[in-house]
Amino acid sequence: MKQLIETYYLHPSLIKLKHRWPNLTANQITLSRLVPAGLAYITNNPWLYLLAALLDWIDGAWARANKEDGVHGRILDPAVDKLIVLSWLWALYAQNILPFWWVLGMTALDIVSQAAYHTEAVLQKHGANQLGKAKKVLQDACILAGIIPMLRDDLPGLLLKASVWAAALSLGAKFQLQQSEKSPSEEAA
């Protein structure tokens, strides 16, 4: 679904916008995500957090539409993701909304998955895969559940399920990368 939206609707629009703003780069869009994410923290406004998440999608689509894929973007985008997500998780822990064990577990999972997966991905010119993106969406959903008061009652069950899914998605992303690196002769063996 996302690919269809990007291909038929978003890419043509982004290419037109590139003519209007020729100096705007995907990395600038990536860095701009820090503004609504920070403002969302100050105001506790979930809509601003959603704007930061939307810009996360747009920066990648901008890079693909304008052929700006590069090592800097493959490093910067997940670094900004980690900064926003982990800052929010620890802030929600400080407000006694998220439990320590969950925030610590998500932090450790992100550090391990970043070290194991992303270093290889950058060096071998792989972008984020769908499982890694799904983990980010899952983390965003947990943060939004922590921001929106009426969702907090269901938070303990959501966190437990999210923990299992985030770990599975991280492992799956690593496995998927390893499978894509195998040569045809290795797969035949």
Side-chain angles (χ1 to χ4, degrees):
M1 179 70 148
K2 178 182 169 185
Q3 190 172 10
L4 287 173
I5 293 170
E6 272 191 31
T7 302
Y8 294 107
Y9 298 104
L10 196 55
H11 279 200
S13 299
L14 293 175
I15 291 169
K16 288 177 187 173
L17 284 175
K18 183 66 173 180
H19 294 294
R20 188 171 294 185
W21 295 309
N23 296 326
L24 183 64
T25 67
N27 289 341
Q28 290 170 329
I29 297 170
T30 297
L31 288 172
S32 75
R33 292 177 11 223
L34 294 170
V35 174
L39 288 173
Y41 177 75
I42 293 167
T43 63
N44 215 28
N45 185 331
W47 293 106
L48 288 169
Y49 189 85
L50 281 172
L51 176 60
L54 178 64
L55 287 171
D56 187 20
W57 178 29
I58 289 174
D59 66 0
W62 184 275
R64 286 184 291 279
N66 295 295
K67 298 177 180 30
E68 293 181 16
D69 183 36
V71 173
H72 291 103
R74 286 192 298 270
I75 293 170
L76 185 63
D77 185 63
V80 170
D81 285 348
K82 302 296 180 247
L83 178 63
I84 291 171
V85 167
L86 294 178
S87 297
W88 262 99
L89 292 178
W90 284 101
L92 291 171
Y93 162 71
Q95 296 173 32
N96 292 320
I97 295 170
L98 293 179
F100 177 77
W101 65 268
W102 194 80
V103 175
L104 185 63
M106 287 293 104
T107 302
L109 185 62
D110 267 359
I111 290 169
V112 169
S113 66
Q114 182 77 9
Y117 165 74
H118 193 71
T119 302
E120 293 176 29
V122 169
L123 294 175
Q124 298 182 16
K125 298 186 179 182
H126 293 286
N129 63 28
Q130 296 304 318
L131 295 173
K133 290 177 182 184
K135 183 184 87 170
K136 168 71 168 60
V137 169
L138 184 66
Q139 289 173 321
D140 286 341
C142 290
I143 290 168
L144 285 168
I147 297 172
I148 302 170
M150 68 183 162
L151 296 178
R152 288 186 193 157
D153 292 340
D154 297 329
L155 202 54
L158 173 67
L159 294 179
L160 185 58
K161 292 172 190 168
S163 301
V164 172
W165 278 106
L169 291 168
S170 292
L171 292 172
K174 175 69 174 156
F175 179 74
Q176 189 177 38
L177 177 65
Q178 288 174 335
Q179 292 302 311
S180 69
E181 293 170 355
K182 286 187 177 180
S183 68
S185 61
E186 287 178 311
E187 289 179 7

